[in-house]
């Protein structure tokens, strides 16, 4: 971690005429004493960091010193920011660009820091797909990724969920999202932004025509909003339950977390036994049965009667089984 901090310190000083120890400490999230030690280490390694004394003092680089992070092609520079996502880079066809970028950066580092990338790789790995499923890379992902990077119009055939027929769309592909092992495309269609599962594309043709990207578009904010809307749209019915304090703790692991949080916030005070009465939004009664069954004796369904009867029957079968 220190190697990354030293690089960031050099880049900060390179981007500004001077910075105080307090400013550097805030940016690097360390103490001022650590800033002093890091500045000394950089100086000993040949980086001309100079410390001005006094109230108006600070740290600066002498003689217009610049790091030698040069020679990166555009695709290498873009891939470098995804270097912590090796599986995603491989699936998008950017593994070679990322590898070249890492080599160029390593060559520009101080000799004492050139093992930083190997050190980080030995200590951190991101495994994006969820448990108990085999990740499958959509065949057309590299073509879609190419269009995203180059801001090129895409002509695609897409199969909607639950429908046999396909639709044709002209898309302005803004960004890719990898969620629990599934790839999604956030794209503009006319004046509207939509989300598409890439494994539902049956054909993709990348045009030579480029689109004008709206620089105000926030991919992360857009995805978070749409994901929340999608989760809420699935919760189409309600069940009323009594739940123990242990059940309250376990509820977020059984149902949608944000829905549980809102439901608990709207609940009244606990009863004499310390149980809460909560109205929970759920997808369907069948799904609610599977989700709530796992809470066992920590939850009692009050309504609807059909779900209560179904859980009672399950409890009786379990009693007979273990009698």
């Amino acid at each position: 971690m220190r190697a990354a901090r030293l690089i960031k310190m050099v880049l900060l000083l390179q981007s500004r005429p001077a910075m105080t120890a307090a400013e550097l400490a805030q940016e690097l999230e360390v103490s001022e004493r650590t800033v002093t030690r890091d500045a000394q280490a950089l100086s000993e390694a040949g980086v001309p960091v100079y410390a001005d004394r006094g109230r108006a003092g600070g740290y600066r680089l002498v003689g217009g010193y610049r790091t030698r992070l040069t020679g990166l092609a555009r695709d290498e520079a873009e891939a470098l920011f995804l270097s912590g996502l090796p599986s995603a880079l491989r699936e998008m066809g950017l593994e070679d660009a990322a590898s070249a970028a890492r080599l160029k950066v390593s060559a520009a580092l101080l000799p004492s820091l050139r093992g930083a990338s190997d050190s980080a790789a030995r200590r951190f790995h991101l495994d994006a797909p969820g448990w108990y499923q085999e990740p499958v890379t959509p065949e057309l992902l590299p073509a879609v990724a190419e269009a995203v990077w180059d801001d090129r119009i895409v002509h695609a055939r897409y199969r909607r969920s639950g429908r046999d027929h396909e639709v044709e769309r002209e898309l302005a592909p803004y960004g890719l999202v990898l969620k629990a092992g599934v790839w999604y495309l956030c794209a503009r269609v006319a004046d509207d932004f939509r989300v598409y599962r890439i494994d539902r594309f049956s054909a993709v043709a990348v045009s030579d025509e480029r689109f004008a990207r709206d620089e105000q578009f926030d991919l992360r904010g857009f995805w978070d909003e749409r994901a929340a809307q999608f989760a809420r749209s699935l919760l189409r019915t309600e069940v009323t339950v009594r739940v123990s304090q242990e059940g309250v703790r376990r509820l977020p692991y059984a149902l949608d977390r944000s829905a549980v949080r809102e439901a608990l916030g709207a609940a009244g005070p606990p009863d004499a036994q310390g149980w809460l009465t909560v109205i929970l939004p759920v997808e369907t009664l069948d799904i609610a049965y599977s989700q709530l069954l796992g809470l066992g004796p920590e939850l009692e369904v009050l309504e609807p009667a059909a779900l209560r009867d179904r859980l009672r029957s399950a409890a009786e079968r379990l009693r007979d089984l273990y009698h």
Side-chain angles (χ1 to χ4, degrees), residues 20-32:
T20 66
E23 290 172 337
L24 283 167
Q26 182 177 3
E27 289 281 355
L28 299 172
E29 299 181 347
V30 296
S31 67
E32 293 186 29

Side-chain angles (χ1 to χ4, degrees), residues 75-303:
D75 62 337
E76 294 170 348
E78 291 171 336
L80 185 61
F81 287 96
L82 294 173
S83 58
L85 305 170
S87 60
L89 285 166
R90 183 172 58 253
E91 292 176 6
M92 288 189 291
L94 296 173
E95 187 174 26
D96 291 342
S99 177
R102 286 194 296 269
L103 286 173
K104 291 180 180 180
V105 171
S106 296
L109 293 175
L110 297 170
S112 61
L113 304 180
R114 287 176 185 166
S117 61
D118 289 337
S119 177
R122 286 194 295 268
R123 290 167 171 81
F124 176 76
H125 171 66
L126 175 65
D127 185 9
W131 291 101
Y132 313 122
Q133 59 180 335
E134 186 69 25
V136 178
T137 302
E139 182 180 350
L140 297 174
L141 175 60
V144 176
E146 177 188 355
V148 169
W149 291 119
D150 290 343
D151 293 342
R152 294 186 182 275
I153 295 291
V154 164
H155 298 276
R157 290 204 307 271
Y158 186 77
R159 185 183 70 261
R160 291 177 174 174
S161 176
R163 303 184 185 182
D164 295 331
H165 70 281
E166 297 178 342
V167 295
E168 295 187 1
R169 291 287 184 266
E170 180 179 283
L171 308 173
Y174 268 65
L176 294 167
V177 174
L178 178 59
K179 172 69 171 179
V182 180
W183 283 94
Y184 297 89
L185 173 68
C186 300
R188 190 182 69 211
V189 184
D191 294 326
D192 187 26
F193 285 94
R194 301 180 186 177
V195 176
Y196 298 87
R197 277 186 60 141
I198 292 181
D199 57 6
R200 291 185 184 151
F201 285 118
S202 62
V204 168
V206 181
S207 169
D208 291 334
E209 179 185 358
R210 285 188 165 88
F211 64 91
R213 177 177 287 268
D214 180 358
E215 297 301 332
Q216 301 301 313
F217 178 77
D218 175 11
L219 177 60
R220 180 174 179 175
F222 170 78
W223 174 261
D224 287 347
E225 180 182 351
R226 288 301 175 92
Q229 290 176 358
F230 176 73
R232 287 194 298 268
S233 71
L234 295 176
L235 307 178
R236 299 171 183 171
T237 189
E238 292 181 339
V239 298
T240 303
V241 302
R242 285 180 70 242
V243 59
S244 70
Q245 291 303 309
E246 173 62 17
V248 168
R249 186 188 68 82
R250 290 164 52 184
L251 263 180
Y253 300 97
L255 288 82
D256 179 79
R257 288 177 179 269
S258 61
V260 168
R261 185 168 56 248
E262 292 178 10
L264 290 175
D271 60 21
Q273 289 75 41
W275 288 46
L276 291 176
T277 298
V278 183
I279 300 176
L280 293 172
V282 295
E283 293 185 46
T284 66
L285 294 185
D286 282 342
I287 293 176
Y289 170 78
S290 299
Q291 293 170 326
L292 300 180
L293 187 62
L295 275 77
E298 305 301 333
L299 178 141
E300 176 191 5
V301 171
L302 302 178
E303 294 179 351

